[in-house]
Tab-separated table of all heavy atoms in Angstrom:
chain	number	residue	atom	x	y	z
A	375	TYR	N	-42.880	2.827	-10.550
A	375	TYR	CA	-42.892	2.140	-11.815
A	375	TYR	C	-42.297	0.740	-11.679
A	375	TYR	O	-42.600	-0.166	-12.548
A	375	TYR	CB	-42.224	2.896	-12.882
A	375	TYR	CG	-42.823	4.247	-13.141
A	375	TYR	CD1	-42.092	5.414	-13.400
A	375	TYR	CD2	-44.198	4.470	-13.110
A	375	TYR	CE1	-42.593	6.651	-13.586
A	375	TYR	CE2	-44.764	5.769	-13.424
A	375	TYR	CZ	-43.969	6.801	-13.569
A	375	TYR	OH	-44.530	8.048	-13.800
A	376	PHE	N	-41.434	0.534	-10.752
A	376	PHE	CA	-40.770	-0.779	-10.731
A	376	PHE	C	-40.711	-1.371	-9.270
A	376	PHE	O	-39.975	-2.257	-9.037
A	376	PHE	CB	-39.293	-0.610	-11.167
A	376	PHE	CG	-39.173	-0.228	-12.594
A	376	PHE	CD1	-38.770	1.071	-13.069
A	376	PHE	CD2	-39.495	-1.148	-13.568
A	376	PHE	CE1	-38.728	1.335	-14.406
A	376	PHE	CE2	-39.386	-0.876	-14.872
A	376	PHE	CZ	-39.039	0.435	-15.386
A	380	LEU	N	-34.931	-1.723	-9.937
A	380	LEU	CA	-34.841	-1.571	-11.376
A	380	LEU	C	-34.627	-2.971	-11.961
A	380	LEU	O	-33.853	-3.794	-11.442
A	380	LEU	CB	-33.800	-0.645	-11.839
A	380	LEU	CG	-34.007	0.934	-11.569
A	380	LEU	CD1	-32.830	1.647	-12.181
A	380	LEU	CD2	-35.242	1.343	-12.284
A	381	PRO	N	-35.272	-3.231	-13.128
A	381	PRO	CA	-34.879	-4.466	-13.911
A	381	PRO	C	-33.574	-4.238	-14.613
A	381	PRO	O	-33.138	-3.116	-14.705
A	381	PRO	CB	-36.097	-4.554	-14.893
A	381	PRO	CG	-36.558	-3.182	-15.106
A	381	PRO	CD	-36.357	-2.509	-13.732
A	382	VAL	N	-32.939	-5.292	-15.067
A	382	VAL	CA	-31.583	-5.171	-15.666
A	382	VAL	C	-31.610	-4.913	-17.114
A	382	VAL	O	-30.661	-4.419	-17.738
A	382	VAL	CB	-30.744	-6.486	-15.406
A	382	VAL	CG1	-30.530	-6.646	-13.899
A	382	VAL	CG2	-31.409	-7.623	-16.051
A	383	GLU	N	-32.741	-5.000	-17.798
A	383	GLU	CA	-32.842	-4.710	-19.124
A	383	GLU	C	-32.806	-3.258	-19.409
A	383	GLU	O	-33.349	-2.420	-18.674
A	383	GLU	CB	-34.181	-5.256	-19.780
A	383	GLU	CG	-34.303	-6.773	-19.805
A	383	GLU	CD	-34.705	-7.327	-18.454
A	383	GLU	OE1	-35.227	-6.492	-17.544
A	383	GLU	OE2	-34.639	-8.520	-18.139
A	384	ARG	N	-32.049	-2.806	-20.475
A	384	ARG	CA	-31.806	-1.442	-20.775
A	384	ARG	C	-32.038	-1.061	-22.214
A	384	ARG	O	-31.776	-1.938	-23.127
A	384	ARG	CB	-30.392	-0.938	-20.321
A	384	ARG	CG	-30.082	-1.139	-18.894
A	384	ARG	CD	-30.645	-0.012	-18.087
A	384	ARG	NE	-30.224	-0.063	-16.737
A	384	ARG	CZ	-30.886	-0.690	-15.785
A	384	ARG	NH1	-31.949	-1.448	-16.068
A	384	ARG	NH2	-30.397	-0.700	-14.523
A	385	GLU	N	-32.428	0.118	-22.507
A	385	GLU	CA	-32.482	0.581	-23.890
A	385	GLU	C	-32.049	2.029	-23.853
A	385	GLU	O	-32.696	2.903	-23.245
A	385	GLU	CB	-33.954	0.507	-24.403
A	385	GLU	CG	-34.076	1.067	-25.885
A	385	GLU	CD	-35.538	1.153	-26.306
A	385	GLU	OE1	-36.301	0.232	-25.959
A	385	GLU	OE2	-35.914	2.125	-27.048
A	386	SER	N	-30.918	2.308	-24.536
A	386	SER	CA	-30.374	3.692	-24.608
A	386	SER	C	-31.245	4.503	-25.483
A	386	SER	O	-32.045	4.013	-26.339
A	386	SER	CB	-28.945	3.697	-25.042
A	386	SER	OG	-28.826	3.075	-26.261
A	387	GLY	N	-31.072	5.837	-25.421
A	387	GLY	CA	-31.796	6.691	-26.293
A	387	GLY	C	-31.268	8.139	-26.277
A	387	GLY	O	-30.190	8.458	-25.777
A	390	ASP	N	-29.162	10.687	-23.470
A	390	ASP	CA	-28.370	9.960	-22.525
A	390	ASP	C	-26.857	10.343	-22.499
A	390	ASP	O	-26.263	10.543	-21.483
A	390	ASP	CB	-28.463	8.414	-22.813
A	390	ASP	CG	-29.792	7.738	-22.538
A	390	ASP	OD1	-30.723	8.565	-22.170
A	390	ASP	OD2	-29.936	6.606	-22.765
A	430	TYR	N	-33.058	16.538	-17.891
A	430	TYR	CA	-33.132	15.235	-18.515
A	430	TYR	C	-34.519	14.571	-18.241
A	430	TYR	O	-35.012	13.882	-19.116
A	430	TYR	CB	-31.930	14.391	-18.013
A	430	TYR	CG	-31.867	13.013	-18.500
A	430	TYR	CD1	-31.398	12.657	-19.766
A	430	TYR	CD2	-32.333	11.906	-17.687
A	430	TYR	CE1	-31.328	11.324	-20.187
A	430	TYR	CE2	-32.144	10.580	-18.025
A	430	TYR	CZ	-31.707	10.337	-19.346
A	430	TYR	OH	-31.639	9.018	-19.714
A	439	LEU	N	-43.182	7.342	-20.864
A	439	LEU	CA	-42.615	5.957	-21.101
A	439	LEU	C	-43.341	4.914	-20.246
A	439	LEU	O	-43.526	3.836	-20.746
A	439	LEU	CB	-41.125	6.009	-20.763
A	439	LEU	CG	-40.220	6.978	-21.607
A	439	LEU	CD1	-38.783	6.941	-20.995
A	439	LEU	CD2	-40.169	6.480	-23.033
A	440	ALA	N	-43.676	5.291	-19.031
A	440	ALA	CA	-44.411	4.307	-18.130
A	440	ALA	C	-45.671	3.812	-18.710
A	440	ALA	O	-46.175	2.726	-18.217
A	440	ALA	CB	-44.520	4.884	-16.716
A	442	ASP	N	-46.215	2.852	-21.710
A	442	ASP	CA	-46.066	1.943	-22.779
A	442	ASP	C	-45.196	0.756	-22.337
A	442	ASP	O	-44.095	0.906	-21.991
A	442	ASP	CB	-45.427	2.588	-23.957
A	442	ASP	CG	-45.328	1.813	-25.275
A	442	ASP	OD1	-45.561	0.569	-25.136
A	442	ASP	OD2	-45.043	2.361	-26.296
A	443	GLU	N	-45.837	-0.419	-22.226
A	443	GLU	CA	-45.047	-1.597	-21.747
A	443	GLU	C	-43.821	-1.825	-22.599
A	443	GLU	O	-42.809	-2.417	-22.121
A	443	GLU	CB	-46.011	-2.802	-21.705
A	443	GLU	CG	-45.357	-4.042	-21.036
A	443	GLU	CD	-45.107	-3.884	-19.598
A	443	GLU	OE1	-45.730	-3.032	-18.914
A	443	GLU	OE2	-44.210	-4.617	-19.037
A	444	ALA	N	-43.891	-1.502	-23.890
A	444	ALA	CA	-42.768	-1.772	-24.796
A	444	ALA	C	-41.597	-0.842	-24.467
A	444	ALA	O	-40.462	-1.145	-24.891
A	444	ALA	CB	-43.238	-1.535	-26.222
A	445	LYS	N	-41.920	0.199	-23.648
A	445	LYS	CA	-40.764	1.168	-23.411
A	445	LYS	C	-40.189	0.898	-21.997
A	445	LYS	O	-39.488	1.728	-21.397
A	445	LYS	CB	-41.349	2.549	-23.431
A	445	LYS	CG	-41.769	2.972	-24.751
A	445	LYS	CD	-40.623	3.103	-25.755
A	445	LYS	CE	-41.044	3.665	-27.029
A	445	LYS	NZ	-39.914	3.779	-27.975
A	446	ARG	N	-40.508	-0.306	-21.382
A	446	ARG	CA	-40.055	-0.629	-20.041
A	446	ARG	C	-38.491	-0.541	-19.960
A	446	ARG	O	-38.035	-0.011	-18.966
A	446	ARG	CB	-40.623	-2.005	-19.650
A	446	ARG	CG	-40.286	-2.400	-18.220
A	446	ARG	CD	-40.927	-3.771	-17.892
A	446	ARG	NE	-40.674	-4.226	-16.525
A	446	ARG	CZ	-41.148	-3.798	-15.443
A	446	ARG	NH1	-42.178	-2.906	-15.497
A	446	ARG	NH2	-40.766	-4.328	-14.304
A	447	ALA	N	-37.792	-1.115	-20.835
A	447	ALA	CA	-36.362	-1.122	-20.781
A	447	ALA	C	-35.877	0.328	-20.928
A	447	ALA	O	-34.791	0.684	-20.330
A	447	ALA	CB	-35.777	-1.980	-21.899
A	448	ARG	N	-36.465	1.109	-21.760
A	448	ARG	CA	-36.034	2.509	-21.926
A	448	ARG	C	-36.297	3.318	-20.666
A	448	ARG	O	-35.397	4.114	-20.250
A	448	ARG	CB	-36.873	3.172	-23.075
A	448	ARG	CG	-36.548	4.604	-23.231
A	448	ARG	CD	-35.064	4.907	-23.579
A	448	ARG	NE	-34.746	6.290	-23.595
A	448	ARG	CZ	-33.548	6.826	-23.195
A	448	ARG	NH1	-32.674	6.071	-22.797
A	448	ARG	NH2	-33.343	8.183	-23.283
A	449	LEU	N	-37.367	3.029	-20.036
A	449	LEU	CA	-37.706	3.768	-18.709
A	449	LEU	C	-36.644	3.337	-17.666
A	449	LEU	O	-36.276	4.232	-16.917
A	449	LEU	CB	-39.105	3.322	-18.327
A	449	LEU	CG	-39.616	3.921	-16.918
A	449	LEU	CD1	-39.536	5.393	-16.876
A	449	LEU	CD2	-40.981	3.406	-16.583
A	450	ALA	N	-36.348	2.096	-17.649
A	450	ALA	CA	-35.373	1.631	-16.721
A	450	ALA	C	-33.992	2.338	-16.906
A	450	ALA	O	-33.314	2.711	-15.959
A	450	ALA	CB	-35.214	0.188	-16.709
A	451	ALA	N	-33.609	2.494	-18.157
A	451	ALA	CA	-32.327	3.141	-18.486
A	451	ALA	C	-32.381	4.598	-18.043
A	451	ALA	O	-31.324	5.124	-17.468
A	451	ALA	CB	-32.105	3.043	-20.025
A	452	VAL	N	-33.516	5.328	-18.299
A	452	VAL	CA	-33.651	6.700	-17.896
A	452	VAL	C	-33.433	6.847	-16.389
A	452	VAL	O	-32.692	7.678	-15.923
A	452	VAL	CB	-35.009	7.238	-18.338
A	452	VAL	CG1	-35.238	8.607	-17.719
A	452	VAL	CG2	-34.934	7.399	-19.855
A	453	LEU	N	-34.144	5.969	-15.657
A	453	LEU	CA	-34.055	6.129	-14.158
A	453	LEU	C	-32.727	5.693	-13.651
A	453	LEU	O	-32.248	6.302	-12.657
A	453	LEU	CB	-35.163	5.353	-13.606
A	453	LEU	CG	-36.670	5.731	-13.931
A	453	LEU	CD1	-37.681	4.873	-13.259
A	453	LEU	CD2	-36.826	7.215	-13.412
A	454	TYR	N	-32.109	4.718	-14.227
A	454	TYR	CA	-30.772	4.330	-13.866
A	454	TYR	C	-29.742	5.500	-14.117
A	454	TYR	O	-28.924	5.760	-13.227
A	454	TYR	CB	-30.241	3.098	-14.572
A	454	TYR	CG	-28.873	2.623	-14.170
A	454	TYR	CD1	-28.714	1.839	-13.037
A	454	TYR	CD2	-27.797	3.105	-14.822
A	454	TYR	CE1	-27.444	1.419	-12.603
A	454	TYR	CE2	-26.514	2.671	-14.387
A	454	TYR	CZ	-26.337	1.866	-13.339
A	454	TYR	OH	-25.032	1.494	-12.908
A	455	ASN	N	-29.852	6.095	-15.291
A	455	ASN	CA	-28.946	7.281	-15.522
A	455	ASN	C	-29.145	8.377	-14.532
A	455	ASN	O	-28.144	8.940	-14.122
A	455	ASN	CB	-29.253	7.767	-16.960
A	455	ASN	CG	-28.860	6.772	-18.021
A	455	ASN	OD1	-28.072	5.823	-17.794
A	455	ASN	ND2	-29.406	6.963	-19.253
A	502	LEU	N	-27.042	-2.811	-11.626
A	502	LEU	CA	-28.054	-2.663	-12.655
A	502	LEU	C	-29.453	-2.839	-12.000
A	502	LEU	O	-30.458	-2.144	-12.422
A	502	LEU	CB	-27.891	-3.688	-13.750
A	502	LEU	CG	-26.718	-3.374	-14.683
A	502	LEU	CD1	-26.616	-4.504	-15.729
A	502	LEU	CD2	-26.834	-2.048	-15.439
Side-chain angles (χ1 to χ4, degrees):
Y375 302 138
F376 295 108
L380 289 181
V382 296
E383 295 81 12
R384 298 284 187 270
E385 178 187 325
S386 60
D390 292 0
Y430 178 77
L439 296 173
D442 187 346
E443 186 66 25
K445 296 293 185 182
R446 185 175 175 82
R448 177 59 187 146
L449 176 60
V452 167
L453 295 177
Y454 180 86
N455 291 342
L502 290 177

